[in-house]
Amino acid sequence: MKKIPDMERPYEKCLKSGASVLSDAELLAVILRTGSRGENVIELAKKILYHSGGSGILALHRFSMEQLIRIRGIGRVKAVQLFCILELSRRLSKAEASKSVSFSSPASIADYYMEDLRHESQEIMKLVLLNSKGRLIGENEVSRGTVNASIITPREIFIEALQRQAVAVIVMHNHPSGDPAPSSEDILLTERIHKAGEIIGIELLDHIIIGNNCYRSLREEGILQKG
């Protein structure tokens, strides 16, 4: 492994000046600890960021385990280390958001689930279940793949809600493009779920679409009418 001059070693830099002074590559290097044959750990970290397609450290969320392992110098151990750090960052973000989440506020809900959904490479639909006091009693993944009104049925949406005795639900899904603007399919699905909920006595409070650090609420936009 090629050696890094003492003054440029990210571990020592962090001890001396704090983690905030480290570049993205240096932060990755501290996690990876070692490089590979012919390249030091910073060079290896830079190669990972290069493979992100120019999106930088944010694109690490989009790597699969297999994609990471295909990068020369990244074995299973390093790939697992990176995956665990990413999961830790996601949980930290969600734990912070949980302190102030209000399920009557679309912005608060979107903030709470943002890190769960915004990095996903395919559409994922979640169902949030609430009790009579508007408190969370459960959540589950309804579908993974294209969110399509002809594929997802109201039965799939409400079977869990009925089992958990929920009185209201919130439907949420992501747009991997980063643009949360609702499609015609999103609107059609919302209308079908809303009508089914009225029949069985479970209110659809909102359908929230998550983009890249942004969201759209069909309730806020008047597409989903209360009552």
Side-chain angles (χ1 to χ4, degrees), residues 6-219:
D6 290 350
M7 296 300 294
E8 296 178 17
R9 292 178 182 174
Y11 186 87
E12 283 75 9
K13 284 179 67 175
C14 181
L15 284 175
K16 181 180 179 181
S17 304
S20 62
V21 305
L22 301 183
S23 66
D24 290 347
E26 288 171 332
L27 286 169
L28 270 180
V30 171
I31 296 165
L32 295 171
R33 296 181 59 194
T34 60
S36 61
R37 182 176 298 178
E39 62 184 354
N40 62 46
V41 67
I42 293 180
E43 290 169 340
L44 177 59
K46 288 179 178 178
K47 184 165 66 176
I48 294 171
L49 294 177
Y50 172 79
H51 278 273
S52 70
S55 299
I57 200 166
L58 192 61
L60 288 175
H61 287 277
R62 297 187 180 273
F63 277 112
S64 67
M65 185 74 73
E66 291 73 22
Q67 287 173 323
L68 278 173
I69 292 173
R70 282 200 295 268
I71 299 174
R72 183 181 172 275
I74 300 295
R76 291 189 180 276
V77 172
K78 284 185 169 61
V80 167
Q81 288 173 330
L82 290 174
F83 259 66
C84 287
I85 287 294
L86 292 171
E87 177 61 17
L88 181 61
S89 69
R90 185 192 70 80
R91 293 188 189 186
L92 285 168
S93 177
K94 192 169 183 180
E96 183 64 29
S98 70
K99 297 176 183 177
S100 58
V101 62
S102 166
F103 288 97
S104 63
S105 164
S108 181
I109 297 165
D111 187 45
Y112 183 63
Y113 288 100
M114 185 65 67
E115 292 307 308
D116 284 350
L117 294 171
R118 76 184 180 108
H119 301 295
E120 293 288 345
S121 59
Q122 57 184 324
E123 289 190 8
I124 295 173
M125 174 165 277
K126 280 183 175 287
L127 179 66
V128 178
L129 310 171
L130 304 175
N131 64 16
S132 59
K133 296 182 179 179
R135 293 175 181 166
L136 180 69
I137 58 174
E139 59 182 65
N140 70 304
E141 187 176 300
V142 177
S143 73
R144 183 175 286 264
T146 301
V147 173
N148 190 309
S150 64
I151 298 173
I152 300 168
T153 66
R155 180 180 182 277
E156 292 175 88
I157 298 294
F158 288 110
I159 190 168
E160 179 77 7
L162 289 167
Q163 289 174 345
R164 299 290 295 272
Q165 299 183 324
V167 301
V169 297
I170 297 167
V171 173
M172 183 179 329
H173 81 278
N174 64 305
H175 281 178
S177 67
D179 179 4
S183 67
S184 58
E185 286 287 352
D186 295 334
I187 295 171
L188 175 60
L189 179 59
T190 303
E191 291 172 348
R192 291 181 64 196
I193 296 169
H194 182 229
K195 289 176 182 177
E198 286 184 323
I199 293 171
I200 63 176
I202 298 178
E203 184 180 5
L204 174 63
L205 294 178
D206 207 344
H207 183 174
I208 296 172
I209 304 172
I210 300 293
N212 186 17
N213 266 336
C214 53
Y215 78 94
R216 297 280 285 273
S217 160
L218 273 66
R219 173 77 71 191

